[in-house]
């Protein structure tokens, strides 16, 4: 394959911080072996998340100077609104400070006890915002999406027969909304096909259920459709994105992902009455409808970022850099979720450290060793994040023990990626010597953020 290079050159640089093995050993102990508790200055390559960590372009920085900070009716809002209308076609464009703020608004309006929401896979904050209203959230991911090593082009697809069965069981009148998460973050950044979105839209229409997109990574999803779905290879990313938004009647987005900004989000709707209610709530929680929870300059950067997110050279480089990482690791037998997704590489920690049982947190052992050896920060998505206890306080493990290495947009070069690959391989060669961890403190909710751990 011809080499795909970074489609940018660097105008402003930011130093990264080197530490020694001995220093990292101390830092890990001081932070109770939880990488959320270490200072980012002590990290060399930070792959904790792709959210809000991207690099803005010179055009985005220039547009920041054009930000108009008027409280009402700012031209920066109208610029953002016009870009959004062009891409999505949605009638009402409501800015929010990030994705979960948009979720809070829409699910507060539509949620409540006795309501069910359905998705390919809900992201944690989305599920949280639904459950907070007393409603319930259900995922219907296709079977192939649940098996890490199965190669399939669209492992983010929704399982339509199961979804329809559920709709008939619970009654469509109790299901206000179906959300397609593109790409499917919790399932490995896997894309959803246009075909699957079309069929879901038809099903939702049949039962009078609103069809929504969680569009955080819509451009990466569109690029996968272009590369993998028959009849889309000659369409532009914009055309594919437009086609996919037109299937839905609304959506939410964390602009901290594909829109290439460090803060921002939106809620978009076609329904006039729903939009009115959402704006009323926005005024209570975020701000006036022409700025949401943002500054005018943020709206400018977001408008420009949305345009840049659909650049094909950029998207191909981005998907390729993650695929490249996957190829190098697979070649030496390291188990990962395959094929690689759009924003992150997921290592199957259960298979990687098969001698460490789930309740000794193999994902934590892996992320901590990567930090110790290479100063690299990833995140465990396994028993620490999602584990529960049964009535006798025995741990219940989630189906998978994963480690996510999320790649910030336009931040690291191929040499950084090569360094990460080298360190993962080093950890793999030494895997038999790794030990598990036990929890010595945990909070009742979202324990992974603040847990204190101890090596076994
Ligand atoms: N939906 C998806 C699919 C997400 O991945 C996220 C955030 C959100 C909604 C919430 O958006 O953070 O702006 O409020 N994902 C981040 C991550 C945090 O690391 O994957 P937010």
């Amino acid at each position: 394959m011809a080499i795909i290079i970074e489609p940018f050159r660097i105008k402003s640089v930011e130093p990264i911080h080197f530490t020694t093995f001995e220093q990292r050993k101390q830092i890990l102990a001081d932070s109770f072996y939880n990488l959320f508790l270490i200072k980012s200055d002590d990290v060399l390559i930070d792959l904790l998340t792709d959210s809000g960590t991207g690099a803005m372009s010179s055009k985005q920085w220039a547009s920041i100077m054009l930000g108009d900070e008027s409280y009402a009716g700012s031209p920066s809002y109208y610029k953002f609104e016009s870009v959004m209308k062009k891409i999505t076609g949605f009638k009402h464009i409501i800015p929010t400070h990030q994705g979960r703020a948009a979720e809070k608004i829409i699910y507060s309006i539509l949620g409540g006890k006795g309501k069910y929401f359905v998705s390919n896979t809900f992201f944690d904050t989305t599920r949280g915002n639904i459950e907070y209203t007393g409603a319930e959230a259900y995922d219907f991911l296709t079977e192939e999406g649940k098996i890490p090593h199965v190669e399939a082009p669209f492992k983010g697809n929704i399982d339509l027969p199961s979804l329809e069965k559920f709709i008939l069981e619970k009654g469509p009148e109790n299901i206000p909304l179906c959300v397609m998460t593109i790409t499917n973050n919790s399932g490995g950044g896997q894309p959803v096909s246009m075909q699957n979105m079309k069929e879901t839209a038809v099903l939702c229409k049949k039962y009078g259920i609103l069809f929504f997109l969680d569009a955080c990574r819509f451009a990466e999803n569109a690029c996968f459709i272009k590369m993998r779905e028959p009849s889309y290879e000659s369409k532009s990313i914009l055309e594919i994105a437009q086609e996919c938004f037109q299937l839905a009647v609304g959506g939410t987005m964390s602009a901290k992902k594909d829109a290439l900004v460090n803060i921002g989000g939106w809620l978009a709707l076609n329904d006039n009455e729903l939009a009115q209610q959402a704006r009323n709530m926005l005024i209570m929680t975020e701000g006036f409808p022409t700025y949401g929870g943002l500054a005018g300059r943020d709206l400018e950067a977001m408008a420009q970022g949305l345009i840049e997110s659909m650049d094909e050279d950029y998207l191909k480089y981005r998907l390729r850099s993650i695929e490249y990482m996957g190829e190098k690791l697979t070649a030496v037998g390291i188990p990962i979720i395959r094929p690689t997704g759009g924003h992150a590489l997921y290592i199957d920690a259960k298979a990687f450290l098969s001698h460490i049982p789930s309740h000794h947190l193999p994902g934590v052992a892996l992320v901590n060793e990567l930090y110790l050896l290479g100063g690299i920060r990833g995140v465990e998505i396994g028993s620490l994040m999602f584990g529960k206890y049964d009535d006798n306080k025995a741990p219940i493990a989630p189906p998978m023990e994963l480690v996510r290495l999320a790649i910030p947009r336009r931040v690291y070069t191929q040499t950084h990626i090569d360094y990460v690959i080298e360190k993962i391989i080093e950890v793999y060669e030494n895997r038999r010597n790794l030990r598990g961890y036990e929890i010595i403190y945990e909070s009742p909710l979202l324990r992974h953020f603040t847990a204190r751990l101890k090596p076994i």
Side-chain angles (χ1 to χ4, degrees), residues 31-37 357-365 367-368 378-389 395-398 400-402 437-454:
S31 52
F32 302 98
Y33 301 94
N34 182 345
L35 295 183
F36 278 106
L37 303 181
S358 282
H359 64 282
H360 288 168
L361 312 174
V364 172
V367 287
N368 284 356
V379 66
E380 186 256 16
I381 306 185
S383 277
L384 181 61
M385 192 180 272
F386 292 127
K388 296 197 171 104
Y389 296 105
I396 308 172
M400 293 199 263
E401 302 289 341
L402 300 174
Y437 284 82
E438 63 179 315
I439 301 172
I440 53 173
Y441 162 78
E442 63 185 294
S443 66
L445 278 175
L446 299 171
R447 65 179 181 180
H448 56 287
F449 289 125
T450 52
R452 294 180 174 186
L453 308 163
K454 193 174 90 181

Side-chain angles (χ1 to χ4, degrees), residues 49 51 98-100 103 123 125 181 185 214 216-217 254 256-257 404:
T49 178
S51 180
Q98 62 183 79
R100 66 198 73 182
E103 293 162 5
F123 182 68
T125 58
T181 307
N185 182 8
D214 175 340
C216 293
R217 300 174 179 90
S254 166
K256 300 168 73 171
K257 282 82 172 174
R404 182 182 83 169

Side-chain angles (χ1 to χ4, degrees), residues 137-148:
Y138 287 88
D139 295 338
F140 295 91
L141 188 62
T142 45
E143 282 309 309
E144 62 193 13
K146 296 175 194 162
I147 314 167

Side-chain angles (χ1 to χ4, degrees), residues 298-318:
D298 298 324
L299 293 165
E300 293 275 348
M302 193 155 63
Q304 177 61 29
L306 281 165
I307 295 167
E308 292 176 16
S309 76
M310 293 181 294
D311 179 279
E312 214 169 292
D313 291 330
Y314 153 70
L315 284 169
K316 284 194 169 147
Y317 133 80
R318 177 158 176 76

